[in-house]
Amino acid sequence: MIGNAFNLKQLEALVWVADLGSFRKAAQHLNTSQPNISARIAALESSLNVTLMQRDSGTIRLTEKGQEILLAARQVLRDAESLVEVADRRDLIDDRLRLGVTELVACTWLHSYLRAIKQAYPGIVVELTVDLSRNLDKELSSGALDLTIQTAPFGVIASGVVELGVFEYVWVGTPAKLFDLPDKPGLQHLLPLTILTHARHTQAYNELIQWADANTLSTARIAPSSSMASCVQMAADGLGVALLPRALVEKEVATGVLDLARVDWHPSPLRFAARYHAERAAHYVAELADQAKDVVDKYRASGR
């Protein structure tokens, strides 16, 4: 038996310093001080009588033996997590989940998802980031996020992926804004109006621009925005016609604030997925990615 040669907190410190590349960032993630992280690493090195990492000019590089021990440390932590789950004591899992979602998620089923996380893992604190999918990609790649719920196309490969389905786009405007349009307007009828839609570099925006260019139509009045919620409000105020995911405008359409326009062109539906790095994520991250699918399915079944 190894007795008290080392403990889980020391292994946890090693894993997060390695993943984040910084004692300071590891301390922030583990809600402790940088000297405490340094002390845990030093104690682990002393107990094992090995040098785990080299610190040169502000950079951290694991030694060859440190790389081997890191793999073993990840497995020990996963086994410890499995132990508390077998004992049905998920409440003992005390961690910080860095979750990144897009605005559509934040405006629709996010709060149901956060309640599900709290019920399944009451000791987990969620640190939430709401951003464009392309930015979430970068954060996931750098290790700044543990789990993202985002839309394709994905710029970074993730080894853990749970498909969450697709969300279609619709054209909406106030009844007054749509009054003079044909019953089934073509895109050529809308482009002279202000078009409120997704930010530049998004798939919907790019497809809209490409379609207009291919048909020699002016794009001068297409107004992209990084805030889809603002697009909904501007459309409701009669400032333009909006091209947005249906889920985002269902309330306004149901109450008559906005009407659907039966336009003959739509961009590709948004494909959503929960994504994480399976090789280094805690087991609960994979569980919560699956939980996201359950929440989305219930949201769709509710008709909202």
Side-chain angles (χ1 to χ4, degrees):
M1 300 293 289
I2 61 174
N4 296 320
F6 57 83
N7 57 51
L8 294 180
K9 286 189 177 295
Q10 293 168 354
L11 300 183
E12 189 179 50
L14 171 63
V15 166
W16 284 107
V17 169
D19 285 351
L20 299 179
S22 163
F23 280 68
R24 177 182 58 81
K25 290 180 180 178
Q28 289 175 343
H29 179 77
L30 295 173
N31 197 30
T32 187
S33 66
Q34 184 171 331
N36 196 354
I37 294 296
S38 297
R40 292 182 193 180
I41 298 294
L44 183 60
E45 289 180 320
S46 177
S47 296
L48 299 177
N49 194 28
V50 298
T51 299
L52 296 171
M53 55 188 66
Q54 303 289 346
R55 308 162 183 82
D56 299 316
S57 303
T59 63
I60 296 171
R61 180 177 57 83
L62 290 179
T63 62
E64 183 176 347
K65 182 60 68 174
Q67 292 281 5
E68 294 177 10
I69 291 175
L70 174 63
L71 294 176
R74 290 192 196 278
Q75 188 59 53
V76 170
L77 292 174
R78 290 194 182 102
D79 289 343
E81 187 181 354
S82 296
L83 187 151
V84 298
E85 290 187 354
V86 168
D88 198 22
R89 289 298 308 274
R90 290 183 173 188
D91 56 298
L92 295 178
I93 297 178
D94 180 14
D95 205 352
R96 180 180 300 271
L97 174 70
R98 299 166 303 167
L99 173 66
V101 304
T102 64
E103 186 184 12
L104 178 58
V105 176
C107 291
T108 51
W109 52 271
L110 174 63
H111 293 292
S112 296
Y113 183 47
L114 293 177
R115 287 193 293 269
I117 292 175
K118 192 65 176 178
Q119 183 175 0
Y121 294 95
I124 287 179
V125 175
V126 176
E127 181 180 311
L128 182 66
T129 297
V130 181
D131 208 336
L132 297 175
S133 187
R134 67 198 302 260
N135 294 333
L136 297 179
D137 251 349
K138 296 174 184 176
E139 296 286 277
L140 182 65
S141 176
S142 69
L145 292 175
D146 304 309
L147 175 64
T148 62
I149 299 175
Q150 58 179 124
T151 55
F154 307 119
V156 173
I157 295 175
S159 52
V161 179
V162 177
E163 295 290 344
L164 303 180
V166 297
F167 287 75
E168 66 177 0
Y169 280 90
V170 293
W171 292 89
V172 292
T174 61
K177 200 72 175 177
L178 302 179
F179 184 78
D180 293 328
L181 294 176
D183 184 48
K184 294 183 178 180
L187 197 52
Q188 69 273 16
H189 298 110
L190 298 179
L191 286 174
L193 307 174
T194 298
I195 304 299
L196 309 165
T197 192
H198 267 197
R200 298 180 190 275
H201 309 299
T202 60
Q203 180 173 304
Y205 175 84
N206 288 335
E207 288 185 10
L208 177 59
I209 293 295
Q210 289 167 8
W211 195 96
D213 287 345
N215 290 272
T216 63
L217 297 172
S218 173
T219 60
R221 298 190 67 81
I222 296 177
S225 173
S226 61
S227 171
M228 290 191 294
S230 295
C231 288
V232 175
Q233 187 58 56
M234 287 189 288
D237 290 339
L239 300 180
V241 176
L243 174 62
L244 295 169
R246 179 186 291 272
L248 197 64
V249 295
E250 286 179 335
K251 177 182 177 181
E252 287 75 13
V253 171
T255 57
V257 173
L258 295 173
D259 277 350
L260 295 173
R262 295 187 293 173
V263 183
D264 61 1
W265 180 89
H266 294 83
S268 303
L270 284 170
R271 170 195 160 205
F272 271 88
R275 308 175 71 240
Y276 59 98
H277 294 300
E279 67 279 3
R280 68 187 188 198
H283 180 258
Y284 76 79
V285 175
E287 291 284 330
L288 293 180
D290 290 333
Q291 183 74 59
K293 183 67 167 65
D294 294 338
V295 173
V296 171
D297 289 346
K298 290 177 181 177
Y299 176 85
R300 289 182 181 278
S302 70
R304 290 181 292 173

